[in-house]
Amino acid sequence: MKHLLMVAILLLGIGARPALCADHLRLNPKLDYSSDRQDGPLITGEHMQQGVIAGKPNYVIFFQEGCFNSKRQARRTVELYEKYGDRVNFVVVDLDRSPSPDQQELARRYYRNYIPHVTILDAQGRALYDQSGEVESSRIASLLDQALEK
């Protein structure tokens, strides 16, 4: 009986832990921003296999480690994380690693085989931005502010 009650509570979401998002994001200090050389993971942190979390804005980046454009966008990503990390879910998809099933679904929906690729989703899951190539932090910050106002 106790087991059935616990299952019912979890299914109803009562007392369930909130979903975790990528956290404690750090930039690889050895990145060479002028080279396509493989410098290792661009961004490290905890819960890096997480996908989109509904109910809050999401910043999603797809990149590969041996791309100087991806390295520069990774630096912007960590800067944005430092500013918005408590209010926005950050999803980091390193295409050189094995993505989680949730990240594979994101890649299927948004990634267009060009890196880096950034997607901004509002709290309802609508794409406010979905483009390949580098994008300035100020542009993304404006979109995140817009998503947070809704």
Side-chain angles (χ1 to χ4, degrees):
M1 182 68 172
K2 186 176 181 181
H3 182 272
L4 290 175
L5 179 60
M6 191 64 146
V7 170
I9 289 171
L10 290 175
L11 287 174
L12 292 172
I14 300 170
R17 289 179 37 177
L20 300 172
C21 59
D23 198 13
H24 299 104
L25 299 184
R26 294 173 302 281
L27 194 61
N28 178 345
K30 298 178 183 178
L31 297 183
D32 178 354
Y33 297 100
S34 64
S35 168
D36 281 338
R37 183 181 73 225
Q38 290 279 77
D39 296 328
L42 306 185
I43 300 172
T44 59
E46 297 174 10
H47 313 294
M48 297 295 283
Q49 294 295 310
Q50 183 63 44
V52 166
I53 296 177
K56 67 190 288 188
N58 287 267
Y59 171 100
V60 183
I61 182 171
F62 301 92
F63 63 78
Q64 290 181 303
E65 296 171 6
C67 168
F68 63 87
N69 299 95
S70 288
K71 293 175 187 181
R72 290 194 296 264
Q73 196 64 47
R75 180 174 52 205
R76 293 181 191 106
T77 298
V78 172
E79 290 169 358
L80 289 162
Y81 169 77
E82 290 169 357
K83 181 176 180 181
Y84 292 97
D86 58 336
R87 298 173 289 154
V88 173
N89 179 40
F90 281 73
V91 180
V92 177
V93 183
D94 183 341
L95 297 167
D96 291 318
R97 309 284 170 178
S98 296
S100 69
D102 289 340
Q103 291 178 343
Q104 289 173 0
E105 177 60 22
L106 286 171
R108 187 190 65 71
R109 285 187 80 184
Y110 299 108
Y111 178 60
R112 300 293 174 254
N113 296 320
Y114 296 101
I115 53 172
H117 187 98
V118 173
T119 302
I120 305 296
L121 302 172
D122 67 12
Q124 291 74 41
R126 292 182 297 256
L128 301 177
Y129 183 89
D130 186 29
Q131 299 288 319
S132 296
E134 290 186 62
V135 56
E136 291 298 323
S137 295
S138 60
R139 172 79 171 119
I140 296 300
S142 174
L143 291 165
L144 293 175
D145 290 341
Q146 175 186 339
L148 288 165
E149 290 173 2
K150 292 183 178 186

